[in-house]
């Protein structure tokens, strides 16, 4: 990758890419300072300078690693809006749960450990998804549940923006104080800025309109300070700018000695938040990469981007860094400004490295109304998308789920809102997956005949009596929801006026079943006994068959037959129907002699499952080359044709005046399988063949 970067480097592009990178980097710094002020507030406020170093070094490292590992040149990484809101809330809860007697350093180190752990878990998860190339699997999470998380995060950003500007939480208890003139003037400018940025973002404006507006707002702030005769020191004392500890050093990575001060129980209490951040990051990353594909009009390797972001966060997490990954808005801004190379991303990373090196004095000049206004802007944007716009885009049920999660977060608590979201995700999965068409509509044997060549008489009989065969085609992963649907469909068919003798289940497209499916089939046993039904499984995968065998086939072994494929099952069922309704259709005499013994052992259905039935013109039997195996022929007079290992071929054809003959074919592979599955049955068959040879 480094050689590729060097080979494509063009010195003519140096200045334009530097300008783009520095501009986009400065915008990223402003937004990330807002998130930093949100995370490191309250008991963590004295560590704001170290927090800034943590964020700036982490984002810079992520941008550098992503630049050299991404499949898309010029992609830019940054803090995630939703993830940062959740991390800020989680950091505040961790700080509250640590005893008041604990030192400020203990609180700070514990929050750093929680942040680093989240980065490590997210990085490992993204690497796993990319390595296994199953990134698309993450997209299956219900869209309204993701929307509920985002809407809740929007509210957190609004609350956080107010707290950054006023140092007071946004709730009913503090609302009267927030409306007092001395506090009103602190948050009202930020609210106006948020409204302006919101309107600006909804219009097609120049790419530099947003950064120019933010720079103008900072300039306007200091112009008003100058006109009012307020010095920067006085503004800081009055709470208008960031309060930083000048003596505090730049952030240092966690070491083993610092880990001994971590309150792990406080971190464990935020496990739900951690899991949410991990999953939401994976989903958001895939969505952003999809957006980047549209932006650059080229296909992007999703799994490579997962591995790129995963590696970056695993590395920064092990160093104690904070989560960051592909930023769609920053990347779009860079592309629109002409920064389409990796150089612009590296230039932006340099801006992040410069901020902590400038020290606490530099940070103290950032006005709180601007930082708080940016948080309000992001929060209002998310709420507008999932509270207002979602009404016109989602179904009423999905919209209700989004609002329920958001309402629980506002009225009860964010952690409770996340819990409701995960429960809703599980419930939606069960409901919607059970409604998938995994059980195809039942098909009658009359409507779906086998491909066997039959006489006109046999075809007419099967057309009339084929309703005795009931075929169900299954697909996908079967679990208790689909099992209940399957059992219900079979019961409903049994109430039909036309009788059913055979229920044939096509498992060819079933990938797996859970234990509840196997147990659900036990409910069919009384039904099979009452109506003398036979249940047939066709083309069941070894892993699925093993689960049924472990449960003794749900107690159904006496009424069960298994076939290698659907066609073999259909032919066998048709033969049974013909045998029952036509006196001229019979099993070959040698098999009839074996039938009585096998029926007493409840094994005849299993025995016939190894055979394939078909019909041919009788003259073809002696003219065509046929695979090795045993052919049992039925005409006017029963006879057989067989060829087995260690036995000479025996052929006898009796002229019965029929144009077609019916054959049962037992391949050598099927015989070997019979010997493995039912050695006693195979022995009886071999004895029968030996007896026929002697005759």
């Amino acid at each position: 990758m480094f050689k590729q970067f060097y080979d494509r480097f063009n010195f003519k592009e140096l200045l334009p890419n530097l300008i783009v990178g520095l501009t986009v980097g400065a915008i990223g710094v402003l937004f990330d300072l807002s998130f930093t002020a949100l995370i490191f507030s309250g008991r963590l406020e004295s560590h704001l300078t170290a927090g800034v170093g943590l964020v700036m070094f982490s984002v810079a490292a992520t941008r550098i690693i992503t630049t050299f590992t991404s499949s898309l040149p010029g992609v830019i990484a940054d803090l995630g809006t939703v993830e940062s809101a959740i991390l800020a809330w989680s950091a505040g809860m961790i700080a509250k749960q640590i005893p008041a007697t604990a030192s400020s350093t203990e609180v700070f180190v514990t929050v750093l450990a929680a942040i680093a752990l989240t980065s490590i878990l997210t990085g490992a998860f993204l690497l796993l998804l990319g390595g296994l190339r199953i990134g698309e699997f993450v997209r299956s999470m219900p869209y309204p549940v993701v929307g509920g998380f985002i809407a809740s995060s929007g509210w957190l950003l609004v609350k956080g923006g107010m707290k950054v500007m006023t140092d007071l939480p946004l709730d009913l208890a503090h609302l009267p104080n927030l409306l007092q003139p001395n506090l009103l003037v602190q948050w009202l400018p930020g609210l106006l800025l948020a409204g302006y940025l919101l309107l600006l973002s909804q219009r097609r404006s120049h790419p530099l309109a947003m950064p120019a507006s933010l720079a103008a707002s900072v300039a306007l702030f200091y112009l008003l300070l100058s006109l009012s005769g307020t010095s920067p020191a006085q503004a800081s004392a009055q709470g208008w700018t960031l309060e930083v500890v000048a003596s505090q050093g730049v952030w240092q990575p966690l070491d083993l000695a610092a880990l001994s001060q971590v309150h792990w129980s406080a971190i464990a209490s935020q496990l739900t938040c951690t899991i949410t951040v991990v999953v939401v990051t994976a989903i958001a990353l895939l969505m952003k990469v999809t957006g980047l594909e549209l932006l650059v009009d080229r296909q992007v390797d999703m799994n490579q981007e997962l591995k790129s972001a995963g590696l970056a966060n695993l590395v920064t997490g092990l160093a104690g860094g904070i989560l960051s990954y592909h930023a769609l808005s920053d990347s779009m801004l860079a592309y629109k400004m002409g920064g389409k190379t990796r150089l612009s991303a590296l230039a932006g990373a340099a801006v992040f490295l410069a901020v902590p090196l400038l020290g606490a004095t530099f940070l103290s000049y950032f006005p709180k109304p601007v930082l708080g206004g940016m948080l309000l802007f992001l929060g209002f944007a998310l709420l507008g998308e999932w509270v207002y716009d979602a009404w016109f885009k989602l179904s009423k049920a999905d919209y209700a789920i989004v609002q329920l999660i958001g309402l629980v977060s506002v009225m009860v608590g964010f952690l409770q809102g996340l819990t409701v979201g995960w429960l809703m995700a599980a419930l939606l999965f069960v409901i919607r997956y059970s409604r998938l068409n995994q059980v195809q509509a039942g098909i009658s044997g009359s409507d779906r005949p086998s491909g066997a060549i039959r006489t006109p008489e046999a075809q007419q009989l099967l057309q009339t009596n084929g309703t005795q065969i009931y075929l169900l085609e299954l697909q996908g992963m079967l679990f208790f929801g689909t099992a209940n649907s399957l059992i219900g469909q079979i019961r409903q068919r049994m109430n039909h006026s036309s009788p059913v003798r055979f229920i044939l289940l096509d498992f060819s497209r079933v990938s797996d079943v859970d234990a509840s499916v196997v147990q659900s089939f036990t409910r069919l046993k009384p039904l099979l006994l009452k109506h003398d039904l036979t249940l047939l499984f066709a083309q069941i995968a070894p892993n699925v068959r093993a689960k049924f065998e472990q449960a003794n086939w749900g107690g159904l072994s006496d009424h069960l037959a298994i076939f290698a494929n659907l066609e073999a099952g259909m032919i066998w069922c048709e033969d049974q129907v013909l045998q029952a309704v036509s006196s001229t259709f019979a099993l070959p005499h040698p098999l009839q002699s074996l039938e009585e013994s096998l029926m007493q052992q409840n094994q005849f259905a299993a025995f016939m499952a190894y055979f394939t039935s078909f019909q041919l013109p009788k003259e073809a039997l002696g003219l065509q080359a046929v695979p090795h195996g045993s052919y049992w022929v039925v005409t006017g007079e029963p006879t057989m044709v067989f060829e087995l290992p260690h036995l000479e071929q025996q052929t006898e054809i009796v002229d019965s005046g029929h144009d077609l003959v019916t054959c049962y074919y037992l391949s050598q592979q099927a015989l070997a399988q019979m010997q493995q599955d039912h050695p006693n049955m195979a022995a009886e068959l071999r004895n029968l063949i030996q007896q026929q040879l002697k005759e």
Side-chain angles (χ1 to χ4, degrees):
M1 183 64 71
F2 285 95
K3 185 178 184 302
Q4 182 183 28
F5 173 76
Y6 178 80
D7 291 341
R8 293 185 179 181
F9 184 78
N10 187 343
F11 284 97
K12 293 181 179 180
E13 299 177 352
L14 177 60
L15 185 58
N17 278 281
L18 284 177
I19 294 174
V20 172
L22 294 175
T23 302
V24 176
I27 300 302
V29 164
L30 285 175
F31 276 99
D32 289 355
L33 282 176
S34 302
F35 288 126
T36 307
L38 178 61
I39 296 172
F40 294 92
S41 58
R43 294 183 70 178
L44 296 169
E45 188 173 8
S46 59
H47 297 276
L48 177 60
T49 303
V52 170
L54 162 70
V55 171
M56 297 298 140
F57 281 128
S58 299
V59 175
T62 304
R63 288 194 174 199
I64 294 172
I65 295 174
T66 303
T67 296
F68 290 109
T69 57
S70 172
S71 62
L72 181 63
V75 67
I76 295 175
D78 210 337
L79 297 181
T81 301
V82 175
E83 296 84 355
S84 298
I86 298 175
L87 283 175
W89 184 88
S90 180
M93 294 303 297
I94 289 174
K96 288 182 180 179
Q97 294 183 23
I98 296 177
T101 55
S103 66
S104 174
T105 302
E106 290 180 53
V107 177
F108 178 63
V109 170
T110 302
V111 170
L112 290 187
I115 290 174
L117 181 62
T118 303
S119 301
I120 292 172
L121 293 177
T122 304
F125 183 61
L126 296 180
L127 275 175
L128 178 63
L129 291 178
L132 298 179
R133 307 190 70 80
I134 55 175
E136 293 295 326
F137 171 76
V138 184
R139 295 182 190 265
S140 61
M141 187 172 181
Y143 190 61
V145 177
V146 176
F149 291 153
I150 297 176
S152 302
S153 302
W155 175 244
L156 289 181
L157 289 172
V158 171
K159 293 179 62 177
M162 293 295 292
K163 188 173 182 180
V164 166
M165 293 183 289
T166 65
D167 293 328
L168 289 178
L170 179 60
D171 53 32
L172 293 177
H174 293 88
L175 188 58
N177 294 333
L178 292 173
L179 296 176
Q180 295 296 320
N182 61 320
L183 289 179
L184 184 65
V185 295
Q186 289 187 333
W187 62 262
L188 187 57
L191 180 62
L192 294 175
L193 175 62
Y196 168 76
L197 295 176
L198 199 59
L199 291 175
L200 185 64
S201 65
Q202 295 175 349
R203 297 182 177 181
R204 293 185 177 180
S205 54
H206 192 276
L208 291 177
M210 182 72 71
S213 299
L214 293 175
S217 63
V218 175
L220 179 62
F221 172 81
Y222 279 101
L223 175 61
L224 294 176
L225 283 185
S226 178
L227 293 176
S228 64
T230 304
S231 66
Q234 292 173 325
S236 178
Q238 295 172 10
W240 288 101
T241 58
L242 288 177
E243 298 178 12
V244 296
V245 179
S247 60
Q248 191 181 68
V250 177
W251 164 78
Q252 297 291 331
L254 288 171
D255 53 28
L256 295 178
L259 292 178
S260 62
Q261 304 180 63
V262 174
H263 291 252
W264 295 107
S265 59
I267 296 177
S269 67
Q270 300 302 307
L271 180 62
T272 302
C273 285
T274 302
I275 295 175
T276 301
V277 169
V278 171
V279 176
V280 169
T281 299
I283 296 172
L285 174 60
L286 293 174
M287 290 181 176
K288 290 179 179 181
V289 172
T290 302
L292 289 173
E293 284 184 326
L294 298 176
L295 173 67
V296 301
D297 193 23
R298 56 171 285 191
Q299 186 175 1
V300 179
D301 187 344
M302 293 280 188
N303 293 295
Q304 178 59 35
E305 299 313 305
L306 284 167
K307 290 187 284 188
S308 174
L311 176 64
N313 282 285
L314 189 61
V315 171
T316 56
L318 290 173
I322 193 171
L323 173 68
S324 56
Y325 61 100
H326 300 50
L328 179 59
S329 58
D330 290 358
S331 300
M332 289 180 64
L333 177 60
Y335 265 76
K336 289 180 179 180
M337 293 178 61
K340 301 180 181 181
T341 67
R342 304 182 194 273
L343 181 60
S344 59
L346 293 177
V351 178
F352 279 82
L353 291 174
V355 170
L357 298 179
L358 293 175
T361 303
F362 171 74
L363 296 176
S364 64
Y365 285 99
F366 282 92
K368 284 186 177 182
V370 175
L371 298 177
M374 294 168 67
L375 292 175
L376 290 180
F377 157 64
L378 295 173
F380 287 147
L382 296 180
L383 289 173
E385 179 181 0
W386 289 101
V387 176
Y388 178 76
D389 295 342
W391 173 261
F392 305 99
K393 298 179 181 179
L394 301 178
S395 67
K396 297 302 177 282
D398 289 342
Y399 181 82
I401 292 173
V402 173
Q403 306 317 312
L404 174 62
I405 297 173
L407 186 63
V408 172
S409 298
V410 173
M411 302 300 295
V412 182
F414 185 69
L415 188 59
Q416 291 81 353
L418 293 180
T419 303
V420 169
W422 284 113
L423 292 176
M424 292 303 300
L427 182 61
L428 279 175
F429 172 80
V430 172
I431 293 175
R432 290 179 174 173
Y433 196 83
S434 63
R435 289 179 178 175
L436 291 178
N437 196 21
Q438 293 164 303
V439 182
Q440 300 291 334
I443 306 173
S444 168
S446 299
D447 299 326
R448 200 278 188 200
S450 71
I453 303 174
R454 307 258 185 208
T455 64
E457 176 190 6
Q459 292 177 9
Q460 183 60 42
L461 288 173
L462 288 175
Q463 184 63 34
T464 305
N465 299 277
T467 54
Q468 297 180 26
I469 306 170
Y470 186 54
L471 168 63
L472 288 168
E473 297 178 345
L474 313 178
Q475 63 181 4
M477 163 70 182
L478 302 184
F479 71 116
F480 66 89
T482 49
N484 290 334
S485 175
L486 173 62
I487 302 302
Q489 198 162 338
I490 293 175
R491 290 184 179 275
Q492 184 179 4
R493 176 61 183 84
M494 296 312 302
N495 295 327
H496 199 272
S497 57
S498 58
V500 174
R501 291 180 56 201
F502 308 99
I503 301 172
L504 179 56
L505 304 179
D506 180 11
F507 276 79
S508 61
R509 289 182 291 175
V510 174
S511 58
D512 202 355
V513 300
D514 68 3
S516 60
V517 173
V518 180
Q519 296 304 318
S520 294
F521 271 84
T522 61
R523 294 155 46 193
L524 281 176
K525 186 174 183 179
L527 191 67
L528 299 179
L529 293 173
K530 178 180 178 180
H531 297 277
D532 192 23
L533 299 175
T534 300
L535 188 65
L536 305 101
F537 286 9
Q539 199 167 335
I540 183 170
N543 62 308
V544 177
R545 178 171 180 169
K547 293 184 179 181
F548 278 97
E549 289 177 341
Q550 289 173 358
N552 193 28
W553 294 95
L556 303 173
S557 56
D558 295 343
H559 295 267
L560 182 69
I562 306 169
F563 295 88
N565 53 62
L566 178 61
E567 185 69 7
M570 283 297 301
I571 292 174
W572 185 86
C573 290
E574 290 176 348
D575 289 347
Q576 303 306 303
V577 171
L578 290 172
Q579 182 183 4
V581 301
S582 174
S583 59
T584 62
F585 185 90
L587 291 175
H589 179 70
L591 294 185
Q592 288 179 340
S593 64
L594 188 60
E595 179 178 2
E596 182 177 354
S597 171
L598 293 172
M599 288 294 289
Q600 293 176 354
Q601 305 173 47
N602 294 316
Q603 289 186 328
F604 185 69
F607 174 72
M608 292 304 299
Y610 293 97
F611 287 81
T612 301
S613 173
F614 59 93
Q615 289 185 318
L616 290 173
K618 64 179 182 181
E619 62 270 13
L621 285 174
L623 300 176
Q624 296 181 354
V626 294
H628 294 317
S630 174
Y631 292 82
W632 306 74
V633 182
V634 177
T635 62
E637 295 292 335
T639 184
M640 66 178 176
V641 180
F642 51 85
E643 181 182 347
L644 297 173
H646 312 299
L647 295 176
E648 296 180 358
Q649 178 174 321
Q650 301 290 327
T651 304
E652 179 183 1
I653 301 176
V654 178
D655 186 0
S656 61
H658 288 210
D659 293 330
L660 295 174
V661 292
T662 302
C663 301
Y664 285 86
Y665 169 59
L666 176 68
S667 68
Q668 292 187 12
Q669 293 81 1
L671 176 61
Q673 189 64 45
M674 182 191 298
Q675 291 173 334
Q676 179 180 343
D677 298 341
H678 303 284
N680 294 334
M681 181 189 300
E684 289 192 52
L685 175 61
R686 182 169 289 277
N687 292 336
L688 173 63
I689 295 173
Q690 296 286 0
Q691 182 180 352
Q692 294 294 321
L693 289 175
K694 292 178 182 179
E695 296 178 358

